Amino acid sequence: MLNEWRSNLWVVMEFIIVSVVLWYIVDYFYATASIYNRDRGFNTDHCYLLSLYEVTDKSPLYVEGRTDDDKIADKLEIMERLRRRPEVEAVSYSASSYHYNGSNSYITLQTDTIIANGLQRLATPDFVKVFRYEGIDGETPDELARQLEEGKFLFTDNFFRNGSKLGSAGPRMSEIDRNDIHFPDDSTLFTAGTALKPMRYDDYSTWDVAVLVGPAVAGNESLLFMKELCIRVRPDMDKGIVDQLMEEAQSQFHVGNYLLTNVQSFDDIRRNYHTFNTSQIRNYVTGMSFLLLNIFLGLLGIFWFRTQQRVREIALRKVNGATDSSVFRRLVTEGVILLCIATVPALITDYFLATHEIATWADGYFGWGRLFICAGIAFLLMTLMVVLGIWFPARRAMKVNAAVALANE
């Protein structure tokens, strides 16, 4: 190997480049998978979004003289009719709050000298039942709903930590005075209820800072701005619920000037919302597969050429007593040694790229464990390709008759 250092140097350089590219791709998949498999903090199974349309005075269905109080009563009546259905487990109104929704509302609050901001989920108390939120100490959705009814804010446990400039140095909800929370420019105090488990924004996001505010704080008139009607259906009765609700839209769910016009499953909402992410992942998978194929063919060509150049050497070794397996082990070992040599500068390059934020974001760009795991996976993939790249030409070379190979010597 030392005598052939010039040709081996080119192989090492190729290994370095390929290793770094593979590490970047593996790191992307590692970061994406680790985020996707985390607890989302909410559940949308068997949940549906109902669209209510408020008819205008140009419609023959329009009812004259409906006051704000009448409108609130109409919306509450629709909620009660849904709640009385045996299939419905929970029902809620909300504004810019349901999950997998591009429309958001933000709020900034202060405790002591710490100012933090996060998503504001303005919703009726049963919102926590629909999406099955939980407290950090195991509080059930029913307990959390009662706290919203009492006029308490429900913060994610990390609101004043991840939502402030302090980051990980900030306090958790258990470490602050829950009766000393107010707007930065207002001395009116609010009370925080049980801290919630962090609720991620979506399946591929790490953002998980939010606060729930109910009508008991925002005022009963806030129901006028809550256009999102969400329900949770009992799992054993979740069959044909969309068709059933739409069949009764004109009779049961037309109250005042409000009319049910559409029912969407959150499975569809989630899939549509993540179209870009799934498309990006599919493109990366396709690109990685194409890259791996090209790398394999490149390595196969290199080692095929190298092995063919050494046919006479192999024949000479066999004449002197070497077995096929010992020759094969020698060739594979040489390839793996070259790969190990290339891995050291490749790992240094990976570290440089990660610390300069060229890797994929997932709670940061760099972590020693993450770096070694991804580099190890890339190393194993390349080892597999090296072994396969050597195995095919080596097996063919070892079938050559030694006397024929050495005839010209």
Side-chain angles (χ1 to χ4, degrees):
M1 292 179 69
L2 291 176
N3 289 337
E4 299 173 352
W5 67 270
R6 289 182 178 84
S7 61
N8 287 337
L9 180 61
W10 287 107
V11 175
V12 169
M13 291 178 63
E14 180 179 357
F15 279 165
I16 293 173
I17 296 172
V18 171
S19 179
V20 172
V21 173
L22 271 182
W23 166 82
Y24 178 83
I25 296 176
V26 171
D27 181 80
Y28 168 80
F29 282 108
Y30 177 86
T32 302
S34 64
I35 294 173
Y36 183 83
N37 289 313
R38 294 178 188 175
D39 182 15
R40 289 181 291 165
F42 61 91
N43 185 298
T44 58
D45 295 340
H46 309 291
C47 292
Y48 294 86
L49 174 65
L50 282 61
S51 300
L52 291 181
Y53 176 70
E54 186 176 2
V55 299
T56 65
D57 55 4
K58 297 180 180 180
S59 170
L61 300 176
Y62 182 74
V63 180
E64 297 280 355
R66 303 301 289 174
T67 65
D68 286 349
D69 290 339
D70 293 333
K71 292 179 180 180
I72 292 172
D74 293 341
K75 297 185 77 170
L76 292 176
E77 176 59 26
I78 292 175
M79 176 187 283
E80 287 303 317
R81 291 184 183 184
L82 285 167
R83 188 175 284 130
R84 288 194 293 266
R85 295 182 67 91
E87 310 99 317
V88 177
E89 183 177 317
V91 54
S92 69
Y93 280 112
S94 58
S96 301
S97 299
Y98 72 84
H99 297 279
Y100 309 117
N101 175 18
S103 177
N104 307 297
S105 177
Y106 292 89
I107 189 172
T108 301
L109 293 168
Q110 179 175 350
T111 181
D112 195 9
T113 59
I114 303 172
I115 298 177
N117 63 79
L119 290 174
Q120 174 184 259
R121 302 195 185 278
L122 177 62
T124 56
D126 277 5
F127 187 84
V128 296
K129 297 181 183 179
V130 172
F131 295 106
R132 290 187 175 174
Y133 292 172
E134 293 182 1
I136 57 172
D137 295 323
E139 291 84 356
T140 64
D142 289 330
E143 295 176 275
L144 298 174
R146 283 195 292 272
Q147 294 184 33
L148 277 178
E149 291 175 350
E150 294 168 0
K152 296 179 179 178
F153 282 31
L154 296 183
F155 292 84
T156 54
D157 189 44
N158 58 357
F159 188 88
F160 287 100
R161 172 172 285 197
N162 294 355
S164 70
K165 295 180 179 179
L166 298 176
S168 59
R172 295 194 176 277
M173 290 301 297
S174 58
E175 300 169 347
I176 67 171
D177 183 356
R178 298 190 183 186
N179 296 309
D180 183 28
I181 299 173
H182 55 90
F183 291 112
D185 56 352
D186 192 338
S187 60
T188 303
L189 297 177
F190 302 106
T191 301
T194 299
L196 301 172
K197 291 182 178 179
M199 299 169 292
R200 288 165 49 202
Y201 186 72
D202 57 48
D203 297 357
Y204 297 98
S205 173
T206 58
W207 178 253
D208 55 5
V209 177
V211 57
L212 263 73
V213 182
V217 174
N220 206 40
E221 64 276 5
S222 62
L223 281 165
L224 293 171
F225 307 103
M226 298 185 189
K227 307 293 185 180
E228 306 161 355
L229 179 55
C230 301
I231 64 172
R232 170 173 287 277
V233 176
R234 302 182 192 281
D236 57 333
M237 304 180 75
D238 189 5
K239 298 177 182 178
I241 187 66
V242 174
D243 294 335
Q244 295 174 28
L245 292 176
M246 291 308 300
E247 286 176 3
E248 301 176 15
Q250 294 287 344
S251 57
Q252 291 296 314
F253 305 113
H254 179 196
V255 180
N257 288 321
Y258 292 104
L259 174 66
L260 176 64
T261 58
N262 191 31
V263 181
Q264 285 181 283
S265 167
F266 266 89
D267 291 338
D268 296 333
I269 294 172
R270 177 186 180 189
R271 182 172 56 254
N272 294 334
Y273 182 82
H274 285 310
T275 298
F276 173 78
N277 299 97
T278 53
S279 177
Q280 187 179 42
I281 292 173
R282 183 169 57 250
N283 292 339
Y284 264 78
V285 169
T286 303
M288 183 178 182
S289 301
F290 180 75
L291 179 64
L292 289 176
L293 177 61
N294 278 271
I295 291 172
F296 171 70
L297 292 176
L299 293 177
L300 177 62
I302 289 173
F303 286 105
W304 194 295
F305 177 77
R306 285 166 60 93
T307 305
Q308 288 299 111
Q309 294 292 101
R310 301 174 68 177
V311 168
R312 293 175 183 174
E313 175 191 336
I314 293 172
L316 187 60
R317 292 183 183 280
K318 293 182 68 175
V319 167
N320 284 277
T323 63
D324 288 350
S325 59
S326 65
V327 173
F328 178 75
R329 284 197 300 271
R330 181 183 183 87
L331 295 175
V332 170
T333 302
E334 287 182 3
V336 174
I337 289 174
L338 293 176
L339 177 59
C340 290
I341 294 173
T343 298
V344 176
L347 192 60
I348 295 174
T349 305
D350 297 341
Y351 170 81
F352 177 82
L353 295 176
T355 53
H356 283 74
E357 302 183 356
I358 298 177
T360 302
W361 170 268
D363 295 329
Y365 292 94
F366 172 75
W368 284 110
R370 171 180 167 184
L371 176 68
F372 286 120
I373 289 174
C374 295
I377 294 174
F379 178 81
L380 291 176
L381 286 173
M382 290 194 65
T383 301
L384 178 62
M385 288 186 287
V386 167
V387 172
L388 292 177
I390 294 174
W391 185 79
F392 287 107
R395 185 175 180 182
R396 182 173 179 178
M398 286 184 291
K399 290 181 179 180
V400 175
N401 186 287
V404 174
L406 296 174
N408 295 326
E409 290 295 331

